Amino acid sequence: MISTPVDKQLSGRQYLTPESVLSDSPNQNIFPLTARSNDRDRLEIGGCDVVTLVDRFGSPLYILDEATIRAACRAYRQAFDRYYDGETQVMYASKAWSTLAICAIVASEGLGVDVASGGELYTALQANVAPETIYFHGNNKSAGELQFAIETGVTIAVDNWLELETLAELAAGSANPVRIAIRFTPGIECHTHEYIRTGHIDSKFGFDSDRLDAVFEFIAARSHLHCVGLHAHIGSQIFERDPHRDLGKVLVEKWQRATAKGLKLRELNVGGGLGIRYTEADDPPSIDEWAKAVCEGVTTACESAGIALPRLLCEPGRSIVGPAGITVYTLGAEKTIPGIRTYLSIDGGMSDNPRPALYQSQYCAIVANCTS
């Protein structure tokens, strides 16, 4: 069985034929691009029979399709090359799923890696991701994590005053200026669950946008801090394009304020947030459509402000790894309550998938050993 809850009207086969790949944008498909129903009426991913995999490895079992990950990486790179005349860099937000193999795959596709802990940074480095393509995020980095980031030469996305002041002290002993970016709260609302909105004013992430002048002045006065750009992120699992288009204008406005304070920036980072299709009702824009909105927003804002196009970064996570993965469970006990519902128990729960309990997320499910 795959995920929960079970939809009694769902026929697996309708999703597991060549026609089931609704789009070449992985995030618009419920299943990985290689999913099909094989001649034994079983679910197959990447040429592997899912039932055979469970027999070998047990369940719950995470299965990831490399072909779908690579397709998503290429879709992002190609779209940003298509719609933006300046330099671009797509980053994988490894908080979505951080493993050696995934970091190595995305790096081989030309992506950088966004990390949010010392452990994720260590994983990316062990996967031979180039330090200059790693960006270290997080709203509560320890002094030890910051020192590790300085020593490895990655870019640090500074989130708050405590971090900035700590970093200034640590950087004073560094042989070279420490490369940083400033994350701020853009004040942009979007339609997604309140637990995964990050761009509104009441957010734990980033500096208050109305108080950035003091931040810029602090950095400008310290030669051992090299601020390369600005970062903002508005949330996750977003289906709208306008908020991401609007983000470009906000970033460029803050860029002008930073340069007026003496900082020499070269890049803007729009974060990620593109949603994926978990159920039939979900209708996210394609990777191409999302990238077009982002690039047009930044380009229009730069043209209006009369500034050259900066290096443009984005950090998708869910939309790269989410469509590539399934979770396989084994059905156990059954309880029928006449006239109400039937409960089917599985060998999994919050330990392997907390999203339904945390913010009422829903999934598509099929029976893997009988897909018709």
Side-chain angles (χ1 to χ4, degrees):
M1 179 180 177
I2 301 175
S3 280
T4 54
V6 175
D7 182 344
K8 294 180 180 179
Q9 304 302 315
L10 178 63
S11 167
R13 192 172 293 278
Q14 67 181 301
Y15 297 106
L16 303 174
T17 65
E19 293 75 26
S20 68
V21 180
L22 302 178
S23 167
D24 58 3
S25 185
N27 73 304
Q28 294 183 316
N29 298 285
I30 290 179
F31 283 89
L33 299 179
T34 64
R36 73 180 190 95
S37 180
N38 65 21
D39 55 9
R40 302 180 68 183
D41 198 25
R42 293 176 173 181
L43 175 63
E44 186 177 286
I45 304 289
C48 299
D49 186 306
V50 167
V51 177
T52 300
L53 292 176
V54 172
D55 289 341
R56 179 178 177 183
F57 298 107
S59 63
L61 181 65
Y62 297 133
I63 299 175
L64 208 62
D65 179 43
E66 180 178 345
T68 303
I69 294 178
R70 292 189 181 278
C73 291
R74 292 167 188 172
Y76 269 108
R77 283 195 298 101
Q78 291 166 4
F80 273 79
D81 287 345
R82 183 179 303 117
Y83 296 117
Y84 195 69
D85 288 336
E87 183 184 354
T88 63
Q89 176 65 66
V90 180
M91 319 282 293
Y92 168 61
S94 68
K95 65 181 71 65
W97 198 350
S98 175
T99 68
L100 285 170
I102 294 174
C103 288
I105 290 170
V106 299
S108 73
E109 290 292 340
L111 272 62
V113 176
D114 148 17
V115 301
S117 71
E120 289 179 11
L121 173 55
Y122 178 81
T123 300
L125 292 170
Q126 289 297 110
N128 293 319
V129 179
E132 61 270 20
T133 68
I134 299 176
Y135 283 63
F136 190 8
H137 289 273
N139 71 311
N140 194 32
K141 308 178 191 71
S142 70
E145 287 175 318
L146 292 174
Q147 186 63 50
F148 182 31
I150 291 172
E151 292 171 356
T152 53
V154 304
T155 302
I156 303 169
V158 182
D159 199 272
N160 53 67
W161 272 109
L162 175 62
E163 181 181 333
L164 181 59
E165 291 168 347
T166 302
L167 191 58
E169 294 178 7
L170 295 173
S174 177
N176 299 304
V178 175
R179 197 167 59 250
I180 67 172
I182 294 300
R183 177 169 182 171
F184 69 93
T185 306
I188 294 177
E189 298 281 350
C190 58
H191 291 94
T192 190
H193 195 280
E194 62 179 322
Y195 288 4
I196 49 177
R197 285 199 299 258
T198 61
H200 56 302
I201 295 299
D202 184 13
S203 171
K204 68 179 181 180
F205 295 105
F207 288 94
D208 186 330
S209 62
D210 293 332
R211 300 176 182 177
L212 283 174
D213 285 349
V215 175
F216 298 149
E217 291 169 358
F218 181 93
I219 297 169
R222 287 159 176 81
S223 59
H224 47 278
L225 295 179
H226 177 206
C227 186
V228 297
L230 303 177
H231 168 80
H233 179 70
I234 62 175
S236 301
Q237 190 58 3
I238 299 170
F239 290 178
E240 303 164 282
R241 279 169 280 178
D242 286 345
H244 285 100
R245 188 178 287 111
D246 295 340
L247 181 57
K249 181 179 180 181
V250 177
L251 282 164
V252 169
E253 288 173 350
K254 302 305 181 284
W255 172 289
Q256 292 177 294
R257 286 170 56 182
T259 55
K261 294 295 182 180
L263 299 186
K264 296 180 180 180
L265 308 182
R266 65 185 183 91
E267 59 191 38
L268 293 179
N269 189 330
V270 298
L274 173 61
I276 68 176
R277 192 171 187 233
Y278 289 106
T279 70
E280 281 189 297
D282 292 334
D283 186 25
S286 68
I287 291 172
D288 187 87
E289 291 169 330
W290 182 86
K292 185 173 187 289
V294 167
C295 294
E296 287 180 346
V298 173
T299 299
T300 299
C302 288
E303 290 175 347
S304 297
I307 64 175
L309 291 179
R311 185 170 185 251
L312 181 59
L313 281 65
C314 69
E315 294 171 339
R318 180 197 310 257
S319 55
I320 288 178
V321 76
I326 64 169
T327 306
V328 189
Y329 300 108
T330 299
L331 286 170
E334 176 182 329
K335 178 181 179 180
T336 299
I337 304 176
I340 300 180
R341 64 172 58 86
T342 296
Y343 288 93
L344 297 176
S345 298
I346 59 171
D347 58 349
M350 283 189 67
S351 60
D352 49 84
N353 186 3
R355 296 181 64 248
L358 289 179
Y359 49 93
Q360 300 82 50
S361 59
Q362 296 185 356
Y363 291 86
C364 168
I366 69 169
V367 180
N369 61 354
C370 183
T371 59
S372 60

